[in-house]
Amino acid sequence: MLNRRNFLKLGAVTATTTVAGGACLSTQAAKDLPQWGNKDFSPTTGKSRKAIPSACWQCVTRCANMGYVEDGRLVKIESNVNSIRTEGVMCAKGQGAVNHTYDPDRILYPMQRVGERGSDEWKRISWDEALDMIAARMKKNRDAGTPEKVVYHYGRAKASHSKTIGGFFKAYGTGSIGNHTALCEGGKWTAQELTWGGHYDNWDFDNTKFVLNFGSNVLETHTNHIPTAHRLLWAMAEKGVEMVTFDVRLSNTAAKSKEWVPIKSGTDGAVLAAMINVVMSEGLYKGDGEEFLKYTRVTEDVNADVPAKIAAIKAGVKDYTPKWAEKISGVPASKITALARKFATTKPAVLVSYRGLVAHYNGNEGERLAQLLCAVTGQIDKPGTRMKAVGAGWKWPKIPSAKKIKKLDIFDGFPGQVAYPTHHVAETVLPMIKDGRNGRPDMYIMYCWTPAYANGHIGEAIEILKDEKLMPFIVSVDPFYGDSTMYADLILPDTPFTERWTAEDMVDPAQIGEFYIRQPFTKPLGEARDFSDVVFDLAKRLGVDMGKAKSHEDFVRLACENTPGVKDAGGFEYMKKHGVWHDKNATPQQQVYNRPVPESVYKAKGVVLDKASGVYWKPASEADAKKGYVATKGAYKKYVAQQMPHGVFSGFAPDKVNKSGYLELWSPLLKAKGFNPFPTWIPIPEHQKMGPDDLVLTTFKHAAQTHSRTMNCKYLAEVYHNNPAWINPVTAKARGIYDGDRIKVTSEVGEIVTKARVTEAIIPGVVAISHHCGHWAYGRYASGRRAPSTDEERGDRDFKFKWWTENGVHPNWVIPNSPDPINGQQRWMDTVVQVTRV
Amino acid sequence: MTTVSTPTMTRRQMLKRVGAATAGVTVVAAAPMAARAAKQEVRYAMVIDTRRCSGCQACSIACKAEFEVPLGAVRSWVEHVEVGKYPNVERRMLPRLCNQCSEPPCVDVCPTEPKKATYKRKEDGIVVVDESLCIGCAKCLEACPYDARFMNPFKGDPVKTKGNGVADKCDFCLHRISQGVQPSCVNTCQGKARIFGDLNDPTSAVAKLVEEFDTTVLLRDKKTKPSVFYIDADYLEAKKDPKADQYFRLDTHRKEASSKRWS
Ligand code: SF4
Ligand code: SF4
Ligand code: SF4
């Protein structure tokens, strides 16, 4: 929505240049004020504030940052201008993190429950008492041969946190380790693992000329948010790159797009299928598409030549005409055709997709269709397109696993429910514990995990957490009095990330890889301790071997000393001083798949060719070789190379499943489980049976909040604390609803009463409610519920000025826990509801 | 368009002088500088390129933290406006802050004698509040047509201000720019939508942007001559905004939607 006159004047004035350290500053601004940041001063005394390079953790993006400390107090957080990922900018959430440290509702001491679960009655105990209690249960289970009954369930544990905490539990002997990825975007990852192996796609906005976006709100929220979002904004402003966004709602990303294309919830796959149809019927695959198809599998025959592949794709998509897709999606056929042409012919163009595409019943197929559109246009894994991502490859200190690891089978959905839960099925863990057929934990340890708030069907989750027969002992590791933590038996006061060490590794959009660390801005308050440190103490009590490291800080230090590059730059001391390091001589990674593999490698001893898949691999035994690559458990770990009609290539190496080295869009794995091997449009069953009064409930995120962990930050809560339901005026009017009315939203699992935001910025037939709000705990700013024994203001002079009284309503009360049948992704966008005026 | 005069002092000299003056106890202690500077050599300004703004609020939060701005108050904020009719609906983002007006009504009404507590710095045009002089009368809050001021209960002498606190507002991060560092909101902005510099230096980014682009200021008719310029916000000065006629929703993300709006 650019002003044309101004648009034409772009370029000259906003030309950018790279200055030392990689930060990209506009030349003129740099001359005006030589320093972009990494320095701050007290506004009252003018004194320089102490700058400590570290890393954000508000969202999973984990940007390098800089904390400023004045008189021992953390006063400000900014970006680290030397980061090649963020290029010196930061989002609202990262800025608001300054509130965590001094949140008056932090838990500062280990607390033991004394009243009923959820009664808010606690007593303070010592760390020794708390750890003895946990160690005693762990010993008891180890002695009884049931270590798997010690369940460790985390929401976010990345990089060195994952290595130390996960490492400890595996060293002890339990494999009962749960995560939350299916609630996030795990389905997208599984679809990528089925197609091009190791997950994560980087959208190369630095080099692209056109952005086609299916359901990502990348400018407000993303798993690699700021590193990608700022690049997209710059590309749009400085190079006139256009973005077209498909979404049910005018997100800020849609608002910044050249065009917002409203689309019926859950039908993005149909539009993608029709775009492929256009590309195939108009011959737009010629050239780059044909070249890339050499590396793509679209038929059963792994030796098919390109013309045969083209014929197979044409046959596969022949019914997916733009007219057909228009009926399903509401997007005009002419628009689908025009956008397909534009995407196919603008080189390079990038296809973006996220939860709008994947958090549905048909999400796996949606993402596979996205991969297919990229393949047939050749808009894949080269600069300016959707690329295989690059992170930092740390050399971690080893923590030896126990010889035998036992595991409760409660993390992958009910038997037969999910075909390939490569990122587990978080939303069915509590229901499976309730069900009990696969066993129950004796101790359930939650780390950075709030199952009651983060899953669907909140009412059921709370009941399960409260039931001591289902869950005999719950430990929560939490810096704050969280919405699930309040139902625990024991709370370990974790440090907020502002008081932690970590060696970090998140994806770098520059395709190089940035190594960075998190270090404490200030000493932990009270008796708070980083759980990654606590596990070293537990290990001592249990006689568990944690390898060389003595603490988490020590683990991070060893990682810095062991990792080539980081080590040569000065290791731990360098990282503490600078926070970030990258290889200045590295070239951006691209086209991982087309490197010829020499005969010496694929003809090496022990390597065999699996004829059915064309994979060269190293089977562990004769029996495995006989069984074949696809049918052998864990065969993907033995992948060597891929035979293709034109040679033997590195291919898209498999990561979690036994796929071939092609971009695999004819999947024997899906076929084996009864799904169509070729990417397919699948209607959402519930949406086929909708009555005239029914609406689809979708969810979304706001730029100033993360899903569930930031409403305690007062500055962020002040900007966003209430989440009225978005509803189109036409849809509202039919129900007699006016802006600001109280409305009831009812689904098969419950009902909520919230307020209506009647807005033109949403498609009719949908009601959209954001996450973040409706906390029932998490402190005085989030809900009014205070942490145990913190009546004092704890120096928070602001609370008396809190002016907002509404904290919003959480949509998860009415969203059932329901996985995508292929990958286990929680279906956030599929719930059918009725909306009435109260 | 603004007249661009050649600066008589180099940037380096200027920064040195301002820096020396602010090295004291408080920023407002830089007041004596005003007397020494004969004429305004520097005019600090901000260009807000709304094309580059995603409405993310990082600037609002950065500012809040930089100054520990009390809840309920803002020095900088971002307004979102939805206009149009489905499906042709837009959301426009408008980052806001004090305009550092060249003819500031807030200064006109400040009653303190012999020196005004709120005044415009001659050396760079920033409108500041000397908290040691402010009597907490809040007249300047009333006078500002942009709702850019608030009473800060954490500042000032409770007796002198009768417990009202002192007037407070954006000062372009004087404590940072005087030491050569970008303002806090500029530093964080992911789009680099906020561009700061000296409008009187023709080689500066702000001067070039104002020169090259059609810019808009808020409430031009109030004749305050703002030093904050907007790129691609022409609709603010359009006689009639057809889109706004259809549907209009303003989210200020502030405690109260102010009655003093820009339209
Ligand atoms: S994108 Fe995520 S990690 Fe980066 S600053 Fe924002 S909240 Fe922090
Ligand atoms: S930080 Fe920049 S992009 Fe974000 S709202 Fe402020 S001006 Fe806009
Ligand atoms: S915007 Fe308001 S406070 Fe700022 S200088 Fe102008 S009148 Fe004064």
Side-chain angles (χ1 to χ4, degrees):
Chain A
M1 296 171 193
L2 277 177
N3 172 319
R4 206 178 139 64
R5 194 181 31 183
N6 278 341
F7 174 71
L8 294 172
K9 290 182 188 163
L10 281 173
V13 180
T14 47
T16 57
T17 175
T18 301
V19 301
C24 199
L25 299 173
S26 119
T27 355
Q28 290 78 8
K31 179 183 164 293
D32 266 2
L33 289 167
Q35 191 116 1
W36 185 261
N38 284 16
K39 256 189 187 179
D40 193 23
F41 308 89
S42 160
T44 48
T45 66
K47 267 212 311 240
S48 185
R49 289 167 162 174
K50 186 173 171 206
I52 300 169
S54 186
C56 185
W57 197 79
Q58 288 286 64
C59 84
V60 72
T61 303
R62 296 168 277 149
C63 298
N65 70 6
M66 190 67 76
Y68 298 97
V69 173
E70 193 176 314
D71 301 329
R73 199 178 153 87
L74 172 69
V75 288
K76 180 82 191 295
I77 295 174
E78 289 181 352
S79 63
N80 179 341
V81 299
N82 295 320
S83 165
I84 54 169
R85 293 178 67 232
T86 68
E87 300 186 272
V89 296
M90 178 170 267
C91 82
K93 294 156 281 205
Q95 289 281 350
V98 70
N99 293 150
H100 278 314
T101 305
Y102 309 106
D103 176 351
D105 291 295
R106 267 187 71 171
I107 309 245
L108 295 181
Y109 308 97
M111 305 296 282
Q112 187 182 6
R113 175 172 69 89
V114 291
E116 299 267 284
R117 270 198 192 151
S119 67
D120 292 336
E121 287 168 44
W122 300 88
K123 71 167 186 199
R124 177 177 161 183
I125 58 172
S126 71
W127 267 104
D128 265 340
E129 288 172 288
L131 294 186
D132 282 348
M133 227 181 280
I134 295 171
R137 279 208 183 237
M138 291 184 80
K139 265 201 191 110
K140 181 191 82 181
N141 279 295
R142 187 169 59 187
D143 294 347
T146 56
E148 75 278 10
K149 282 174 164 288
V150 173
V151 171
Y152 158 56
H153 201 158
Y154 65 87
R156 187 189 304 146
K158 290 286 184 189
S160 64
H161 288 291
S162 163
K163 295 292 165 199
T164 46
I165 306 173
F168 162 72
F169 284 106
K170 281 186 232 150
Y172 158 80
T174 178
S176 299
I177 299 178
N179 66 355
H180 85 170
T181 312
L183 304 181
C184 198
E185 76 298 72
K188 182 175 160 83
W189 304 152
T190 305
Q192 295 201 355
E193 283 150 7
L194 285 164
T195 52
W196 71 2
H199 74 264
Y200 218 88
D201 49 330
N202 176 39
W203 309 320
D204 186 13
F205 296 134
D206 279 346
N207 297 301
T208 200
K209 295 214 173 102
F210 178 58
V211 183
L212 187 61
N213 172 14
F214 285 90
S216 166
N217 188 5
V218 54
L219 294 182
E220 292 192 73
T221 173
H222 176 38
T223 47
N224 204 18
H225 174 44
I226 277 297
T228 43
H230 83 268
R231 287 177 155 91
L232 173 57
L233 277 171
W234 296 6
M236 293 194 297
E238 288 162 20
K239 298 185 211 150
V241 170
E242 290 175 356
M243 169 163 63
V244 173
T245 295
F246 288 80
D247 202 317
V248 294
R249 190 183 67 95
L250 185 82
S251 63
N252 288 353
T253 306
K256 294 307 285 184
S257 300
K258 168 99 190 323
E259 188 179 0
W260 166 45
V261 186
I263 183 167
K264 281 188 195 154
S265 180
T267 66
D268 302 53
V271 171
L272 279 160
M275 287 183 168
I276 299 163
N277 173 297
V278 172
V279 169
M280 298 317 290
S281 58
E282 297 189 1
L284 301 174
Y285 54 80
K286 291 197 177 120
D288 292 348
E290 281 170 317
E291 174 58 26
F292 186 78
L293 283 176
K294 288 185 191 161
Y295 303 91
T296 309
R297 179 181 189 183
V298 288
T299 70
E300 183 159 20
D301 176 9
V302 289
N303 297 312
D305 60 9
V306 171
K309 290 180 186 184
I310 290 168
I313 301 168
K314 280 185 173 167
V317 301
K318 78 171 178 327
D319 295 334
Y320 301 144
T321 63
K323 275 236 150 59
W324 162 87
E326 172 175 334
K327 274 198 212 101
I328 294 170
S329 65
V331 180
S334 56
K335 180 149 285 167
I336 296 172
T337 306
L339 286 172
R341 287 178 188 150
K342 174 138 189 171
F343 179 75
T345 57
T346 313
K347 309 251 159 126
V350 60
L351 185 61
V352 166
S353 66
Y354 234 72
R355 303 215 301 190
L357 177 69
V358 301
H360 290 284
Y361 183 86
N362 56 15
N364 196 81
E365 290 310 272
E367 184 67 14
R368 288 212 307 149
L369 286 160
Q371 294 281 68
L372 180 54
L373 179 58
C374 295
V376 296
T377 51
Q379 305 276 27
I380 189 162
D381 206 28
K382 55 188 180 197
T385 70
R386 140 189 301 227
M387 302 179 79
K388 292 220 70 167
V390 187
W394 287 97
K395 203 157 177 283
W396 300 113
K398 292 257 174 324
I399 298 176
S401 287
K403 282 205 188 67
K404 200 166 162 214
I405 294 182
K406 289 175 79 185
K407 174 180 165 189
L408 286 183
D409 188 8
I410 56 173
F411 302 102
D412 294 328
F414 286 95
Q417 198 178 18
V418 177
Y420 292 103
T422 55
H423 292 268
H424 305 302
V425 188
E427 64 273 27
T428 53
V429 172
L430 289 189
M432 286 195 73
I433 288 172
K434 182 177 171 189
D435 176 84
R437 80 180 92 158
N438 286 358
R440 292 186 178 126
D442 179 52
M443 176 159 61
Y444 184 69
I445 302 172
M446 309 188 284
Y447 172 69
C448 185
W449 170 231
T450 176
Y453 187 89
N455 285 295
H457 205 168
I458 292 173
E460 183 189 53
I462 291 177
E463 263 170 42
I464 296 167
L465 288 177
K466 276 168 109 168
D467 191 333
E468 292 183 42
K469 286 201 280 307
L470 300 178
M471 295 276 229
F473 195 66
I474 303 175
V475 180
S476 184
V477 184
D478 197 339
F480 312 107
Y481 194 47
D483 302 87
S484 303
T485 297
M486 64 171 283
Y487 298 109
D489 302 301
L490 178 65
I491 307 174
L492 300 185
D494 200 16
T495 47
F497 71 86
T498 50
E499 298 169 351
R500 277 186 215 160
W501 290 99
T502 323
E504 278 294 5
D505 60 0
M506 187 51 178
V507 162
D508 166 27
Q511 294 285 118
I512 285 171
E514 181 165 70
F515 294 81
Y516 57 111
I517 67 162
R518 178 172 299 108
Q519 59 182 322
F521 296 133
T522 49
K523 279 207 194 75
L525 291 190
E527 291 181 2
R529 295 186 63 193
D530 174 6
F531 194 47
S532 280
D533 265 331
V534 171
V535 291
F536 284 89
D537 271 15
L538 278 173
K540 255 185 237 141
R541 281 176 157 80
L542 290 158
V544 165
D545 177 11
M546 291 290 279
K548 262 201 196 151
K550 301 281 169 280
S551 67
H552 190 206
E553 177 183 343
D554 201 30
F555 190 89
V556 172
R557 181 184 64 79
L558 286 169
C560 294
E561 304 305 341
N562 291 349
T563 303
V566 176
K567 176 184 164 192
D568 310 320
F572 193 44
E573 290 310 312
Y574 178 92
M575 293 306 277
K576 281 199 286 187
K577 196 161 164 220
H578 299 277
V580 291
W581 181 85
H582 72 275
D583 181 354
K584 302 206 170 44
N585 300 317
T587 47
Q589 177 192 288
Q590 57 161 310
Q591 290 183 295
V592 297
Y593 57 87
N594 61 1
R595 313 212 172 121
V597 174
E599 224 180 85
S600 59
V601 172
Y602 66 82
K603 291 241 166 105
K605 200 163 156 265
V607 178
V608 300
L609 175 66
D610 175 75
K611 287 239 169 68
S613 62
V615 168
Y616 282 100
W617 67 309
K618 241 182 165 164
S621 64
E622 269 300 307
D624 281 1
K626 250 212 186 108
K627 234 190 279 167
Y629 171 78
V630 175
T632 299
K633 200 169 172 233
Y636 65 88
K637 290 179 194 152
K638 315 277 170 160
Y639 173 90
V640 174
Q642 179 70 34
Q643 183 173 63
M644 304 184 188
H646 63 303
V648 177
F649 294 92
S650 50
F652 288 107
D655 177 43
K656 289 243 169 79
V657 294
N658 299 342
K659 67 170 277 290
S660 71
Y662 283 112
L663 180 87
E664 192 151 275
L665 290 162
W666 191 97
S667 169
L669 296 164
L670 288 176
K671 184 160 186 266
K673 299 272 184 174
F675 297 96
N676 194 339
F678 187 79
T680 308
W681 160 251
I682 304 174
I684 292 162
E686 295 88 343
H687 293 189
Q688 306 314 300
K689 302 181 288 214
M690 279 171 66
D693 288 343
D694 292 341
L695 300 177
V696 177
L697 168 65
T698 67
T699 62
F700 65 94
K701 290 182 189 160
H702 184 273
Q705 291 284 351
T706 66
H707 180 279
S708 56
R709 299 189 190 107
T710 43
M711 198 52 89
N712 62 320
C713 296
K714 60 192 176 191
Y715 296 157
L716 299 178
E718 183 174 33
V719 164
Y720 194 80
H721 48 258
N722 202 1
N723 62 342
W726 292 35
I727 186 165
N728 182 283
V730 175
T731 313
K733 200 166 168 220
R735 288 160 181 76
I737 294 166
Y738 293 90
D739 194 40
D741 279 355
R742 276 159 57 82
I743 56 170
K744 190 159 83 182
V745 181
T746 313
S747 76
E748 61 174 42
V749 298
E751 62 175 51
I752 50 173
V753 173
T754 184
K755 277 191 179 162
R757 175 186 168 106
V758 178
T759 167
E760 300 281 351
I762 187 167
I763 192 169
V766 157
V767 57
I769 306 179
S770 82
H771 293 290
H772 327 296
C773 299
H775 284 271
W776 53 88
Y778 216 55
R780 65 198 67 182
Y781 284 108
S783 71
R785 189 190 291 270
R786 294 176 178 219
S789 68
T790 56
D791 299 324
E792 79 276 23
E793 296 300 321
R794 241 195 240 155
D796 185 55
R797 61 182 194 177
D798 259 328
F799 187 64
K800 61 176 178 292
F801 295 108
K802 175 178 176 285
W803 50 270
W804 60 99
T805 50
E806 291 183 42
N807 294 318
V809 179
H810 198 355
N812 290 12
W813 292 94
V814 300
I815 301 175
N817 289 311
S818 178
D820 176 327
I822 295 177
N823 55 43
Q825 167 72 44
Q826 160 69 2
R827 305 199 279 133
W828 290 120
M829 316 294 187
D830 282 351
T831 312
V832 174
V833 294
Q834 296 79 44
V835 175
T836 52
R837 189 160 164 250
V838 178
Chain B
M1 198 122 306
T2 327
T3 3
V4 179
S5 65
T6 323
T8 53
M9 193 195 270
T10 66
R11 301 257 328 130
R12 182 181 289 273
Q13 285 169 319
M14 191 283 300
L15 287 175
K16 248 195 185 155
R17 289 178 61 180
V18 180
T22 50
V25 233
T26 62
V27 167
V28 288
M33 268 305 288
R36 271 187 273 138
K39 76 182 230 288
Q40 189 183 318
E41 287 133 355
V42 172
R43 181 180 173 197
Y44 278 134
M46 192 176 287
V47 173
I48 297 182
D49 188 344
T50 66
R51 299 167 308 162
R52 307 179 73 111
C53 171
S54 70
C56 77
Q57 302 278 5
C59 47
S60 316
I61 309 293
C63 177
K64 206 90 193 183
E66 184 77 29
F67 297 95
E68 284 198 86
V69 178
L71 292 184
V74 286
R75 294 165 70 110
S76 183
W77 69 104
V78 183
E79 296 174 351
H80 292 182
V81 180
E82 279 173 23
V83 284
K85 189 152 179 63
Y86 175 87
N88 297 312
V89 51
E90 286 178 23
R91 186 172 302 111
R92 298 162 178 170
M93 323 296 185
L94 198 72
R96 298 283 316 271
L97 69 167
C98 165
N99 279 301
Q100 316 295 351
C101 303
S102 302
E103 306 287 343
C106 56
V107 170
D108 292 347
V109 301
C110 182
T112 60
E113 296 280 2
K115 267 169 40 193
K116 284 183 186 279
T118 194
Y119 63 95
K120 190 169 176 68
R121 285 162 52 95
K122 289 218 173 57
E123 59 272 49
D124 54 24
I126 299 178
V127 175
V128 292
V129 181
D130 184 337
E131 64 181 84
S132 68
L133 298 178
C134 177
I135 55 167
C137 70
K139 286 203 164 75
C140 54
L141 270 72
E142 279 305 305
C144 170
Y146 303 100
D147 205 15
R149 292 180 167 246
F150 64 97
M151 298 308 291
N152 191 330
F154 300 139
K155 284 185 174 178
D157 173 357
V159 178
K160 190 166 182 175
T161 63
K162 304 195 186 65
N164 290 337
V166 302
D168 206 347
K169 67 174 224 6
C170 163
D171 63 358
F172 274 164
C173 276
L174 191 47
H175 65 297
R176 287 170 66 110
I177 58 171
S178 61
Q179 311 216 42
V181 181
Q182 294 277 4
S184 177
C185 60
V186 173
N187 159 283
T188 200
C189 177
Q190 54 166 316
K192 298 204 184 225
R194 289 170 173 254
I195 301 115
F196 176 78
D198 174 15
L199 199 60
N200 285 355
D201 171 1
T203 66
S204 74
V206 284
K208 287 185 175 175
L209 287 166
V210 169
E211 177 82 31
E212 293 260 331
F213 284 77
D214 298 302
T215 52
T216 303
V217 294
L218 302 184
L219 302 179
R220 200 184 291 271
D221 55 322
K222 299 273 180 201
K223 303 204 164 51
T224 55
K225 300 199 183 132
S227 301
V228 175
F229 302 84
Y230 292 86
I231 294 177
D232 242 39
D234 308 27
Y235 59 90
L236 293 168
E237 296 193 284
K239 288 243 158 50
K240 195 163 182 299
D241 183 348
K243 281 221 160 120
D245 280 351
Q246 292 162 338
Y247 162 77
F248 178 95
R249 176 194 282 276
L250 169 72
D251 290 305
T252 66
H253 307 104
R254 296 182 54 164
K255 182 176 178 185
E256 285 139 12
S258 165
S259 51
K260 296 173 185 170
R261 297 264 62 94
W262 38 261
S263 62

